[in-house]
Amino acid sequence: QVQLVQSGAEVKKPGASVKVSCKASGYTFSNYVIHWVRQAPGQRPEWMGWIHAGNGVIQHSQEFQDRVTFTTDSSATTVYMELSSLRSEDTAVFYCARDPPGSGYYDYWGQGTLVTVSS
Amino acid sequence: DIVMTQSPDSLAVSLGERATINCKSSQSVFHNSYSKSCLAWYQQKPGQPPKLLIYWASTRESGVPDRFSGSGSGTDFTLTISSLQAEDVAVYYCHQYYNYPRTFGQGTKLEI
C-alpha cells in the first residue's frame, strides 16, 4: 500500500535550518510529484512547492523561494525539504503529499513533522 | 493568487442530518483543457493529515463513503454530507490546483 513516512519532530532555534525527510513506498517513486505543505497551529494548509521525484524538476512558492530546498534520493525513495533561516512563524506541522500524474490534488499525505522554532 | 473562501467557518449539524459547506474562489478554476474544475475537498481530524475526499470538484476518492458529494463549477463549489455520522466531525478544506501558488480555504469546522 502507498505510504509516505516522514521524519520525527524537531526543535530549532531562530536562524537555524531544518531538514525533513519523506520516505515513499508502495508505488513507483519516479512517476510522481511530491508537494510540501506547511500548516501552522489552527491555520489553513500553505503550499510550499514541489519536486518531481523522477527528474528533480522543482517549483517553489514565492513565499518560501529564498529559504527552501527540495531534494530527492531515488535509491532511498526519499524526498527532502530543507528550510533555512527559521523564525517563530515557521513553528508548524510540515507535510509531504503525493500528486498523481496529470492531476494536481494530493491523494496521499505523510503523517506530518512538527517543527518548533524557539529560543 | 487565487483566494479560497469557505462558508460557514463552523457548522453544527445533528446526527443523520445534511451538512453543506461552501467554497468560493476569487477567480474561475475551470480548466478548459480538462473540461473540469480544479477543486478538491479534504477532511482533517485533530493530529492527522488532511484526507482527500473529492477531486475535480465532484469525483469521490476511492473508499470515501457515498454520503460525501461535491458539486459546483467555475468559482462556486459545495461539499455535502447527506447524513452526518459521528466520525464526520472534522475540519474540511477546499483546495484549488488550477494555478500557482496552490491555495486552500480557511477551513470549516463541523460539529455535532
Side-chain angles (χ1 to χ4, degrees):
Chain A
Q1 72 283 21
V2 174
Q3 282 192 302
L4 298 175
V5 179
Q6 298 183 222
S7 49
E10 304 261 13
V11 179
K12 296 291 183 180
K13 294 191 183 300
S17 298
V18 67
K19 191 170 186 177
V20 178
S21 66
C22 172
K23 181 169 176 57
S25 61
Y27 70 95
T28 303
F29 178 73
S30 60
N31 287 353
Y32 287 79
V33 165
I34 295 292
H35 292 244
W36 289 91
V37 174
R38 180 178 77 174
Q39 188 172 32
Q43 301 299 309
R44 72 184 77 189
E46 184 177 14
W47 179 75
M48 300 178 70
W50 58 258
I51 182 167
H52 192 290
N55 59 26
V57 174
I58 289 169
Q59 181 154 6
H60 300 100
S61 165
Q62 282 192 332
E63 175 74 21
F64 297 95
Q65 187 161 347
D66 296 336
R67 299 198 293 137
V68 72
T69 302
F70 303 132
T71 54
T72 181
D73 180 346
S74 297
S75 64
T77 64
T78 299
V79 174
Y80 301 90
M81 183 279 296
E82 184 169 19
L83 187 62
S84 62
S85 302
L86 290 169
R87 35 211 190 220
S88 59
E89 52 264 42
D90 292 316
T91 294
V93 176
F94 290 80
Y95 293 102
C96 60
R98 192 183 80 159
D99 174 356
S103 61
Y105 54 85
Y106 310 141
D107 61 349
Y108 286 91
W109 295 65
Q111 83 278 17
T113 297
L114 174 62
V115 175
T116 303
V117 182
S118 174
S119 55
Chain B
D1 297 5
I2 297 178
V3 177
M4 307 299 290
T5 304
Q6 294 180 224
S7 61
D9 290 335
S10 63
L11 181 63
V13 175
S14 300
L15 290 174
E17 296 300 304
R18 177 184 300 260
T20 301
I21 299 170
N22 301 300
C23 175
K24 188 174 184 66
S25 57
S26 60
Q27 66 186 74
S28 176
V29 297
F30 185 81
H31 201 302
N32 289 324
S33 299
Y34 297 136
S35 295
K36 300 176 184 178
S37 291
C38 301
L39 190 285
W41 289 97
Y42 301 89
Q43 175 193 67
Q44 187 174 32
K45 298 180 179 180
Q48 296 184 19
K51 173 188 173 184
L52 178 66
L53 299 175
I54 303 286
Y55 56 94
W56 300 125
S58 60
T59 302
R60 193 181 308 113
E61 171 71 336
S62 175
V64 173
D66 60 8
R67 64 180 180 272
F68 291 91
S69 63
S71 62
S73 182
T75 61
D76 292 279
F77 302 92
T78 300
L79 175 70
T80 301
I81 307 172
S82 60
S83 177
L84 192 72
Q85 305 299 302
E87 60 266 31
D88 300 335
V89 168
V91 178
Y92 292 82
Y93 293 99
C94 60
H95 164 225
Q96 68 80 17
Y97 49 95
Y98 175 76
N99 69 3
Y100 293 103
R102 306 293 200 223
T103 49
F104 292 80
Q106 81 277 19
T108 294
K109 186 175 185 179
L110 179 58
E111 300 172 309
I112 303 293

